[in-house]
Amino acid sequence: MVHLNVGSRTLGGNERWFLAHTQPRSEGKAELHLGAQGFRTYLPQIQKTIRHARQLRTVRAPLFPRYLFVILDLERDRWLSVRSTVGVSHLFTQEGRPVPVPVGIVESLIERSAANLTRLDTDLVKGKHVRILTGPFADFVGTLERLDGAGRVQVLLELMGTAVPVSLHRSALAPAA
């Protein structure tokens, strides 16, 4: 899989970010094939725990399953070829023309990324609900009880009618919607 550095994701001239809808579980394949055609892409990923057959595995997963951001200049680039790229289902369009992603959205995701992982823990507030992304409590929602300077947090989970404190690293959390 091709991962570009942040510098190669800066926009110039008439370039804008656009949203490509991918085929199921084909985000990486689409990113690879778009890169081979010279398109610059961004696939925000998070670490997530998957449960299967009583086993837990921590994997990298797309932040937005089936979506990938692509830099295009509609006057310069052959954007119609994006639709027929392996792994891509279609570009988001309106009246036949691709619709750009509002300015600032992709840029803020890139700013929150380190080592090709997007961090969702920057907006954590004590007393608010959070979702646990990794570990044995993955997908549980609890209340953020304590944050410390070393990145450790304590979350209160409601289990069997009682509040149970769980200590984690803040990178394992995201604000609950």
Side-chain angles (χ1 to χ4, degrees):
M1 189 176 331
V2 177
H3 289 288
L4 303 171
N5 62 30
V6 174
S8 67
R9 294 190 188 118
T10 55
L11 303 178
N14 293 326
E15 293 179 333
R16 295 285 307 271
W17 286 103
F18 293 86
L19 191 60
H21 190 242
T22 66
Q23 294 166 351
R25 291 183 289 288
S26 296
E27 301 88 359
K29 185 187 302 182
E31 182 181 37
L32 179 69
H33 287 277
L34 286 167
Q37 295 177 61
F39 292 108
R40 293 175 291 156
T41 61
Y42 177 56
L43 176 60
Q45 295 182 319
I46 58 171
Q47 276 196 322
K48 171 179 169 178
T49 297
I50 296 175
R51 298 169 205 253
H52 181 68
R54 287 188 264 169
Q55 292 183 341
L56 299 177
R57 281 188 325 152
T58 300
V59 298
R60 286 180 181 231
L63 177 59
F64 307 112
R66 295 196 68 188
Y67 295 98
L68 173 70
F69 297 103
V70 183
I71 294 175
L72 295 172
D73 178 340
L74 297 182
E75 306 304 318
R76 177 193 70 205
D77 296 328
R78 294 175 31 122
W79 58 268
L80 288 172
S81 67
V82 172
R83 295 185 311 186
S84 59
T85 299
V86 174
V88 175
S89 178
H90 61 273
L91 266 175
F92 275 86
T93 60
Q94 187 173 31
E95 297 174 11
R97 300 272 299 169
V99 179
V101 175
V103 174
I105 292 176
V106 178
E107 291 82 356
S108 75
L109 288 171
I110 291 171
E111 286 175 15
R112 293 174 177 221
S113 297
N116 289 321
L117 283 174
T118 302
R119 300 277 306 262
L120 301 175
D121 62 346
T122 56
D123 297 329
L124 298 179
V125 178
K126 185 177 172 183
K128 296 288 184 180
H129 290 290
V130 292
R131 178 175 303 281
I132 300 174
L133 301 173
T134 62
F137 297 106
D139 293 329
F140 279 66
V141 174
T143 304
L144 184 59
E145 182 71 13
R146 188 179 72 222
L147 286 152
D148 71 18
R152 299 295 296 171
V153 297
Q154 188 171 39
V155 177
L156 286 180
L157 295 178
E158 190 71 31
L159 298 173
M160 297 189 300
T162 185
V164 177
V166 176
S167 293
L168 308 157
H169 191 270
R170 68 181 293 142
S171 63
L173 301 179

